[in-house]
Amino acid sequence: DDMVEGIYKGYVDALNEPYTVYYTKEEYDQLQESTSGKYSGIGVVVSQNKETGVITVVRPFEGSPGAEAGILKDDILYKVADKEVTGVDVGSTVSIEVYRPSEDKYLTFEVERKTIEIPMVTSKMLDNNIGYVAVYEFEETTSEQFNQAIDALTAQGMEGLIIDLRDNPGGLVNSATAILDRILTKDQL
């Protein structure tokens, strides 16, 4: 089986085409999870320093189990009691110890893993009734979140709109086109 998978991977790699990729079943399943906009976990974005290996919380998702437990931005993950940190373990509880530099102390949190819908869109009303919408990635959940943001801003009296795509790495074409369908007229398409 490994040899057959290797043959398929080698054949596709030899095409030297950057948008053509062969995935094993496991790789495909991971891709599906990563583009679904949902995953099983505690709902915090982390970053690892490549030199030191230190893992720091970049942002806990609002309303996520991690945020509700008290995990904050800039907390350093010190220990995770279990080895398995993603996957099919929704409903299980994980003990997470963090070092909080701002208080110079270690804290332990018991956090329940849940299915997390990643916020791909944030929005707010700016001065002069200008709506602001940031789109972080184009995934399966993005167009629905975008529509909810536009509806909320419209209800607040939005007269203009800024769509912020800075640092957006892209994603699913059908998600991007669904957003364009919402904001462009048929003549503009």
Side-chain angles (χ1 to χ4, degrees):
D1 287 342
D2 290 342
M3 288 173 44
V4 169
E5 293 290 336
I7 290 169
Y8 294 147
K9 279 190 172 288
Y11 177 77
V12 172
D13 287 345
L15 295 174
N16 291 320
E17 209 294 310
Y19 302 107
T20 303
V21 179
Y22 175 81
Y23 295 107
T24 64
K25 178 176 179 0
E26 293 79 22
E27 291 167 338
Y28 182 75
D29 290 345
Q30 287 176 335
L31 176 68
Q32 289 297 101
E33 182 179 29
S34 73
T35 60
S36 72
K38 298 178 183 180
Y39 74 98
S40 170
I42 64 168
V44 297
V45 177
V46 296
S47 175
Q48 185 173 28
N49 182 310
K50 290 182 181 181
E51 294 174 13
T52 65
V54 171
I55 299 172
T56 304
V57 174
V58 174
R59 173 174 62 127
F61 295 136
E62 187 176 326
S64 71
E68 290 176 359
I71 295 175
L72 301 176
K73 179 184 185 316
D74 297 326
D75 281 352
I76 296 171
L77 292 184
Y78 182 67
K79 284 185 188 177
V80 178
D82 302 308
K83 290 184 181 179
E84 179 66 31
V85 292
T86 62
V88 295
D89 42 15
V90 172
S92 65
T93 300
V94 62
S95 177
I96 298 177
E97 188 175 340
V98 302
Y99 171 70
R100 183 160 294 158
S102 62
E103 299 174 18
D104 192 27
K105 66 179 178 181
Y106 290 87
L107 302 164
T108 301
F109 301 97
E110 297 296 321
V111 186
E112 181 182 354
R113 294 180 180 108
K114 294 183 179 177
T115 299
I116 306 296
E117 183 170 318
I118 303 168
M120 298 294 176
V121 175
T122 59
S123 64
K124 62 183 173 183
M125 186 67 78
L126 303 175
D127 294 339
N128 301 318
N129 289 332
I130 303 296
Y132 171 85
V133 178
V135 180
Y136 300 111
E137 286 186 54
F138 295 105
E139 304 300 349
E140 286 182 18
T141 57
T142 305
S143 62
E144 180 181 334
Q145 292 177 21
F146 181 83
N147 287 334
Q148 290 170 353
I150 295 297
D151 291 344
L153 291 168
T154 301
Q156 296 173 48
M158 178 176 63
E159 295 177 15
L161 176 63
I162 296 170
I163 301 174
D164 187 349
L165 299 175
R166 290 176 293 178
D167 299 322
N168 181 320
L172 302 175
V173 172
N174 60 342
S175 177
T177 56
I179 288 173
L180 290 173
D181 286 344
R182 172 71 191 260
I183 61 175
L184 299 176
T185 65
K186 294 212 184 286
D187 294 338
Q188 294 170 320
L189 294 173

